[in-house]
Every structure is written in C-alpha cells, then in structure tokens.
Amino acid sequence: MIGLISATAAGAAARDRLAAAWPDRTRVYEGPVGEAVRSAFAECEQLVCFLATGATVRLLAPLLADKAADPGVVCVDEGGRFAVSLVGGHGGGANELAREVGGLLGAEPVVTTATDVVGLTGLDTLGLPCEGAVAAVSRALLDGEPVALDAESTWPLPPLPVSPRGSYAIRLTDRDVEPGEREVLLRPPSLVVGVGASKGAPVDEVLGLIEETLREAGLSPRSVAELATVDAKSKEPGILGAAERLGVPVVTYSAEELAAVEVPNPSAAPLVAVGTPSVAEAAALLGGGELLVPKRKSDASPAMATCAVVRRAGRGRLAVVGLGPGARDLLTPRATAELRRASVLVGLDQYVDQIRDLLRPGTRVLESGLGAEEERARTAVEQARLGHAVALIGSGDAGVYAMASPALAEASDDIEVIGVPGVTAALAAAAILGAPLGHDHVSISLSDLHTPWEVIERRVRAAAEADLVVTFYNPRSRGRDWQLPRALGILAEHRAPTTPVGVVRNASRPDGSSRVTTLTGLDPASVDMMTVVTVGNTATRTVAGRMVTPRGYRWQNGPGEQPEETR
C-alpha cells in the first residue's frame, strides 16, 4: 500500500489525483502531517509526501531504521513539478515509484541513486537475494574497476559490466557460503525441495527437516524457489507452515504425474496412502534438474516428514521486441524496459544503432547485416538456451513480417518467451494518411523471396474480391519491379480508378514523406522497399486531403448518417 500525505490545498489536489488513479494501491492519511507520516511509515510499503523535501526529511529522520526494510518515500513539491526519490530508492522501490508518479502527474522524476543515474544495473535490483559488500562492489562498478562474475550456473541476469578477473567479485551461487570482504553473493532460486508428510505432521518437524537437509548439503535456504508435493497434501498445515516461514510457494502435482517420474527410492507406503510410489523425490524432479539430496526422513519417531532437494538450471529468457517504425517516441515503455533488461541483444545492425544508447553497460551485442534473419533467430534462441536474458529486436511489431516468427519456430518450451508489441509500419502509415483502416483490412507482402508469387497473387485477388483495404509491405525493390503494378492491376479489376491510395515512405522518421493519390495516379516507380502502400476499398474517400474508410458502409447512404464510434 502507498500512503499519501499532504499539508496544503495544492498538495491535496495532486494527492487526490493520485488516489483516484490508483484506488487499490493508495491510502490517504489525513490529520496533522507529523502524525500522518508516522502512521503511514508504520503501515505502508511506500509513501508519497506532497511536502517540501526539507520538511519531509525532518519528519522521516526519527523513523529511519534499516534501508533494507524502510518504506520507499517519494516527495512531490507544491507545484507538482518534481517527484523526488527521497528514501529507499532500490530497496523500497522509490526510484520506480518516482517515475510512475511523475508520469501520472506530469512531474519530472528526480532519481539520484548513482547506479541509476549512470545506467548501471543495481545489484539490489536484480530480483535475487544478495548479501555481502554490496556498497563496495557497486562503487567499484561505478568507478570502472574490474569486477569479476563468478557464476556457478548460468542465470538470466540483467547486464553487468564485469571482467574475467578483478579484485572485487559478484558470485552467483546456491551454496551456503559466506561472502568475502570484496564480494557480493547473489542467490538464484535454483533449489526445489520435494516434501512428503503424514497427516498432521507438525510445522516444526517439516521445517526442521528441510533446514537440516540444506545445512548438511551445504545449500543456502535463500535459494529455495518452492516446496513441491502431491495434490493430496495441498492443504497439509505442516507443509504450508514451512513454506510460509521460508517465504516460498507450495507447488502440487497429481499422483498420476508423480507416479510417472523415475526415482531412486520408490516406496510402497506413499503408493498406498496417496497413489504414487514417491512424493518427495518425484515432486522435486518433475520439473527437471539434478537430484542433490535423495529422499530422507525426519528424525522424529515415528517420522512424519520426508524431503528431497533438486537443483534446476536457470531458464533462459527471450524477449522478442518490436522497435516501432523508427521514431523514438513510438518505442513503447515496455520495449525500452526489455532492452535494458537483456544481457544479450541480437539484431540487424541498423536497428541496433537506433537503440544503442538505451542499452545498459555490460550488454553483449550480437549484430549482423541484411539477409541474416534466420541466423539471428537461431542465435537468439541459442543464447537463451544457455540461460541468458536475450532481446531479439525487429522494426515495427516483431511479429509482423519480422523476427518473432523465425525465432518462435526455433524455440521450444525450455526457454521463457516474452513478446513485446510495437507500432507496425501499417499503423504508422495509416496515422499519417488519416483513417484508411477504419474498416476491415489486410496486410500483404509483395516480396516473393520466401513466398511463391502464385500464392501472393491469390491473396491479392481474394482481398480485391472481398473489398478489403490493402496495405502492401515490401512493395518494390530494384530486383522486383513488376509485382506492385501487377497487384494494383488486380485491385483495379474490382475498384474504381479514383480509389484513394496512400504512399508513405519512412513513416515517423525525419526523412519521411507521404502523399495521397489514386489507383490510376500512382506511379510504381516512385515506390521502394522503405515505402508502405495503402489501397482503399470501394467506400474509402479523400476528405481534406486525408484517406478515410468509414467504420460502416452507412456513410454511403447519405451525408446525414454518422458511423458508429470506435470501440
């Protein structure tokens, strides 16, 4: 919950805007400001104070205890010009909150955390438990000193500017070790503990068995990702209580699923009780991985709990990112976040150049030239399979005549895939032309490099006969100069010579151009591969120089009738 505190009418107005926008995330604290701040600090995960920073600092000072546990605090000035991340930039999430508040109120977010300012990934923002010399290692990264990454397993980390060797180190490990003087330990959620329990097994017995097992195996409890068991034990208090104390979820599987898992220590007892010869080992192994600790029982007499421990490899992450048509302000915030999240970027060299300044230090860039689409797709999937966080970029929307299709044809369920939509060339061109896509429409690529012309022609003819607005991608190149005239000729068999046609080159870019002509007025020689051609249907008209396709055909019945509003 985010506590909102204000002292003046101007502050209250901005406060109420925030409360109205986030009704489920915020709570307004009324009354004397000092008392409101104290109450919100004790009850909320974050605070937004519509006060002067000096006043806010004085009110917060007696309350601050531990930066790892204190709420994140953002301070907004009376004029609503700035949203200052004041306390808990990383641990309390104040940096991100300042950006969110700024975006909502039109204020400039002010973030002074050193790693954020220079674009470095903060070690305490990786989403993994960390311990050790966080401040010292972060300072070394900021100062450009060599920091080594000792990863005992590959994990999809964000980019870090690390070196093969260094006097400082970041160590990724699930083993129960102490950090060195100049070392940060990162704890990946790589351990799955399978648990079996008799009815009524005490929480202390289940938890004690898990902790003792991990300790004797030299494994860190902070790397436990989940407790796994059979469906029949999904409400067993001892298992639920142990999971709660460890701060991890309980994942359950059916007896049939567990019975199909080959385990080293099957037993008749669970087969009789819940229908599978193994619970602890099978539940831990079901998602794959290496069995580190075979089934063992608790020391109680009679033993009421069993557990087994499996280490799972990091699951690689592939984000397929659409960069939009080229203008920076048409690159979505989600796309920007994924570019900054990736430790490996794969893309066409000219697209990489468009967004190189957005990449964090330490990002590994794998770029190639035109014509290597399938190679880039394979490279991106291979890097994700190695356990990295990968971004594969394409122009427009990566799923429209771009990189998503070849990449997902290569990818299997052994990696996580995230699709990030982008503004397509067709949409960017349509916005420039007016509203040509107001009714049913279709996009067709005229490139016959991968699709036989006979198939393309059949699709163009079908679109012509169906009276669809048509957007042509890849309309003409030096080696393909006859396809566009042929396609336009097919459309002309079903549409009037005066049918509006929009021609947009380099939509949204500084050297972009556009014009509206007609089906017979278009000179195909004026079109190239950087152009999108949009041909209207029989209802499309030109209004004030803009293409307009009515939402419904009722416009044709008379000037007094209006179309339905766009939903």
Side-chain angles (χ1 to χ4, degrees):
M1 187 62 68
I2 303 171
L4 305 180
I5 301 104
S6 63
T8 66
R15 176 203 68 191
D16 291 345
R17 285 176 59 195
L18 209 59
W22 297 339
D24 299 327
R25 296 178 60 190
T26 57
R27 179 188 304 164
V28 173
Y29 284 80
E30 304 278 8
V33 172
E35 183 178 323
V37 169
R38 286 191 293 274
S39 297
F41 194 90
E43 298 169 359
C44 298
E45 291 81 19
Q46 296 175 318
L47 281 69
V48 179
C49 298
F50 296 86
L51 308 166
T53 53
T56 307
V57 168
R58 282 189 288 272
L59 290 170
L60 290 174
L63 308 176
L64 299 175
D66 182 353
K67 73 173 188 177
D70 289 338
V73 180
V74 170
C75 190
V76 179
D77 65 287
E78 289 289 299
R81 294 176 58 198
F82 302 103
V84 182
S85 174
L86 195 64
V87 172
H90 284 168
N95 290 352
E96 183 57 33
L97 181 60
R99 296 183 182 100
E100 286 190 84
V101 170
L104 188 64
L105 299 180
E108 180 72 24
V110 179
V111 175
T112 58
T113 307
T115 52
D116 287 51
V117 170
V118 299
L120 282 174
T121 305
L123 297 177
D124 51 355
T125 66
L126 297 175
L128 303 180
C130 65
E131 54 196 84
V134 175
V137 174
S138 296
R139 187 164 52 250
L141 289 170
L142 287 165
D143 291 343
E145 296 188 42
V147 176
L149 175 62
D150 179 10
E152 296 177 6
S153 60
T154 306
W155 207 262
L157 296 173
L160 292 167
V162 293
S163 305
R165 292 176 298 277
S167 55
Y168 294 85
I170 300 168
R171 187 176 178 187
L172 182 79
T173 181
D174 58 19
R175 294 191 294 119
D176 189 15
V177 293
E178 292 295 323
E181 182 180 353
R182 294 185 168 192
E183 185 178 57
V184 169
L185 297 183
L186 297 178
R187 301 296 191 183
S190 55
L191 304 178
V192 177
V193 180
V195 181
S198 302
K199 185 176 181 180
V203 173
D204 289 342
E205 181 175 344
V206 177
L207 182 61
L209 171 62
I210 294 170
E211 292 178 335
E212 181 182 0
T213 299
L214 293 171
R215 184 169 55 253
E216 292 183 1
L219 299 170
S220 172
R222 301 190 78 185
S223 280
V224 175
E226 62 191 43
L227 301 188
T229 190
V230 66
D231 283 347
K233 299 297 178 179
S234 63
K235 297 183 180 180
E236 189 63 46
I239 295 176
L240 296 178
E244 182 178 4
R245 293 194 198 177
L246 289 168
V248 299
V250 175
V251 177
T252 65
Y253 302 101
S254 69
E256 291 77 14
E257 289 176 296
L258 297 182
V261 179
E262 186 175 342
V263 297
N265 300 293
S267 172
L271 181 61
V272 173
V274 293
T276 173
S278 172
V279 173
E281 288 179 340
L285 284 167
L286 189 56
E290 175 190 3
L291 183 62
L292 300 180
V293 183
K295 180 183 72 175
R296 60 174 292 179
K297 297 180 180 180
S298 58
D299 295 332
S301 184
M304 299 184 71
T306 61
C307 80
V309 183
V310 162
R311 175 185 285 140
R312 291 182 185 169
R315 191 163 181 245
R317 188 176 190 277
L318 173 61
V320 187
V321 181
L323 301 180
R328 178 57 62 85
D329 60 353
L330 292 181
L331 177 70
T332 67
R334 186 178 300 181
T336 300
E338 288 295 344
L339 294 175
R340 296 174 67 79
R341 169 71 175 81
S343 60
V344 180
L345 182 85
V346 181
L348 178 67
D349 47 14
Q350 63 188 31
Y351 296 155
V352 172
D353 289 341
Q354 290 179 22
I355 48 82
R356 201 182 295 272
D357 62 302
L358 296 177
L359 304 180
R360 289 185 185 274
T363 305
R364 184 157 52 97
V365 177
L366 304 177
E367 54 189 309
S368 53
L370 286 168
E373 288 81 5
E374 293 183 357
E375 179 187 340
R376 283 194 291 274
R378 283 194 296 270
T379 297
V381 172
E382 288 167 2
Q383 290 294 316
R385 284 190 174 132
L386 291 174
H388 299 298
V390 182
L392 174 63
I393 60 173
S395 66
D397 183 288
V400 179
Y401 302 120
M403 295 305 301
S405 178
L408 269 61
E410 293 279 341
S412 52
D413 61 2
D414 58 343
I415 62 173
E416 181 184 6
V417 176
I418 299 96
V420 182
V423 178
T424 68
L427 295 179
I432 294 169
L433 294 171
L437 308 183
H439 208 289
D440 298 336
H441 54 275
V442 64
S443 295
I444 299 176
S445 171
L446 294 183
S447 172
D448 56 359
L449 293 177
H450 301 288
T451 305
W453 174 254
E454 293 76 14
V455 174
I456 297 172
E457 183 173 323
R458 187 166 66 246
R459 291 170 180 171
V460 174
R461 195 170 298 281
E465 293 173 353
D467 199 28
L468 298 174
V469 174
V470 182
T471 298
F472 287 125
Y473 279 71
N474 306 312
R476 184 178 181 274
S477 67
R478 291 179 182 177
R480 292 187 302 99
D481 57 2
W482 58 268
Q483 287 90 340
L484 179 58
R486 181 69 174 272
L488 295 174
I490 294 172
L491 292 176
E493 295 173 12
H494 300 268
R495 300 179 193 184
T498 55
T499 299
V501 175
V503 181
V504 180
R505 188 178 189 279
N506 282 337
S508 85
R509 300 185 185 186
D511 60 344
S513 62
S514 67
R515 67 185 186 279
V516 176
T517 181
T518 64
L519 196 54
T520 55
L522 174 61
D523 178 9
S526 66
V527 173
D528 61 15
M529 285 288 286
M530 307 303 293
T531 306
V532 171
V533 177
T534 302
V535 182
N537 65 12
T538 56
T540 305
R541 62 189 65 190
T542 302
V543 180
R546 293 181 285 269
M547 286 180 69
V548 180
T549 301
R551 171 74 185 277
Y553 289 120
R554 293 183 300 165
W555 276 12
Q556 300 178 88
N557 297 329
E561 298 189 36
Q562 298 297 318
E564 301 174 41
E565 291 186 358
T566 301
R567 293 181 176 86

